[in-house]
Amino acid sequence: WKEARGIKLQQGHSGQFRLVFMAKVSLSTDMDGDFALDDIRVYCCAGCWSSNLSLATFDSGFDGYTQLDTDTLDWSRTNTTTLTSLTGPNYDHTVGDRGCPNSNLQGGHYMYLEATNRNSGNTAVMESPDMRPSSPNDVCFVSFFYNMYGQNIGSLRVEAIRYPSGTVAASFCKPQEQTSQTLWLRGALQFRPGTEAFKIRLTAVRGGGTFGDVAVDDIAVSCCPEDCDDFNTE
């Protein structure tokens, strides 16, 4: 399954609208041409979302994320497979395996922990810039995609850290491998930062062998007034 997104109504639109999905049948007599859709989500914007704070695709760089000096490894950035076969994704999540008509997006990038020639338990940690919602009553939502294919996978932890207190507002932890190099899975956090700023911290832990590359991509952070119920962390 591939995710499509990015349809937006212009600001100021106040009328009703509908989404129309059209599939074109090929002129070929070949029967192998079925289309499928699933999980269609519509989010409100004007009057609901107060701020879209960050989107990190890593296609043009680190997108403001920085490596921590207190860990033992660094995250790596690539637009191909990782250095070791039988672990890591085949391609990034943003662009995928088919590329994009916009040539600037060909060969999208992602971040990953390289497990080759590393020790078990080594960690790579990176953090987002400081972010702050428009109101202390806002609820914030983090969406990201990860790939943890390989028989020696360690773990991935994604946290929302309040600053300056350093308290953990929300945490996601995934310790096991998955079964496909081509599949990116979605993770999410929901939390209330209150009056403090916050950062998103990603920690990958190297497992017990070479086949343990952990990858992340497309980290999006948005905040919304507390009476908005458009969040879905499943």
Side-chain angles (χ1 to χ4, degrees), residues 8-9 32 35-36 57 91 103 128 160 171 197 202 213 217 222 229:
K8 290 185 179 181
L9 291 175
D32 298 329
F35 293 86
T57 65
Y91 38 77
S103 61
S128 72
S171 180
L202 297 98
D213 296 345
D217 200 9
S222 297
D229 60 359

Side-chain angles (χ1 to χ4, degrees), residues 39-112:
D39 295 341
I40 300 168
R41 296 183 177 93
V42 179
Y43 297 98
C44 61
C45 291
C48 184
W49 294 96
S50 61
S51 57
N52 296 309
L53 299 179
S54 173
L55 174 60
T57 65
F58 306 109
D59 289 336
S60 58
F62 287 82
D63 290 330
Y65 280 74
T66 56
Q67 312 266 12
L68 265 63
D69 296 330
T70 55
D71 56 6
T72 50
L73 299 174
D74 280 341
W75 287 85
S76 301
R77 176 175 171 266
T78 187
N79 64 346
T80 62
T81 60
T82 63
L83 297 179
T84 308
S85 61
L86 302 179
T87 186
N90 287 340
Y91 38 77
D92 86 323
H93 176 264
T94 314
V95 178
D97 62 338
R98 296 184 181 273
C100 179
N102 180 352
S103 61
N104 292 330
L105 291 181
Q106 294 289 347
H109 291 71
Y110 61 91
M111 303 294 292
Y112 76 100

Side-chain angles (χ1 to χ4, degrees), residues 62-233:
F62 287 82
D63 290 330
Y65 280 74
T66 56
Q67 312 266 12
L68 265 63
D69 296 330
T70 55
D71 56 6
T72 50
L73 299 174
D74 280 341
W75 287 85
S76 301
R77 176 175 171 266
T78 187
N79 64 346
T80 62
T81 60
T82 63
L83 297 179
T84 308
S85 61
L86 302 179
T87 186
N90 287 340
Y91 38 77
D92 86 323
H93 176 264
T94 314
V95 178
D97 62 338
R98 296 184 181 273
C100 179
N102 180 352
S103 61
N104 292 330
L105 291 181
Q106 294 289 347
H109 291 71
Y110 61 91
M111 303 294 292
Y112 76 100
L113 166 70
E114 175 57 57
T116 302
N117 297 325
R118 304 294 194 266
N119 296 321
S120 177
N122 282 170
T123 60
V125 185
M126 64 177 177
E127 283 188 342
S128 72
D130 288 348
M131 289 177 274
R132 187 183 296 273
S134 298
S135 166
N137 294 322
D138 280 3
V139 180
C140 293
F141 177 73
V142 182
S143 174
F144 57 93
F145 290 84
Y146 62 94
N147 182 290
M148 298 177 69
Y149 174 74
Q151 65 181 13
N152 304 131
I153 289 293
S155 65
L156 170 67
R157 187 169 67 252
V158 182
E159 300 169 296
I161 310 293
R162 296 186 184 95
Y163 283 93
S165 68
T167 59
V168 177
S171 180
F172 169 99
C173 185
K174 192 73 173 179
Q176 74 255 30
E177 70 167 296
Q178 64 191 68
T179 58
S180 172
Q181 282 188 287
T182 61
L183 181 64
W184 285 88
L185 302 177
R186 177 178 176 269
L189 299 174
Q190 180 178 327
F191 61 98
R192 297 175 183 271
T195 59
E196 294 186 283
F198 65 90
K199 294 182 179 181
I200 306 304
R201 178 185 296 167
L202 297 98
T203 303
V205 181
R206 200 264 197 187
T210 298
F211 305 110
D213 296 345
V214 175
V216 295
D217 200 9
D218 293 342
I219 307 168
V221 184
S222 297
C223 294
C224 172
E226 61 181 344
D227 58 352
C228 179
D229 60 359
D230 285 336
F231 295 112
N232 183 352
T233 57

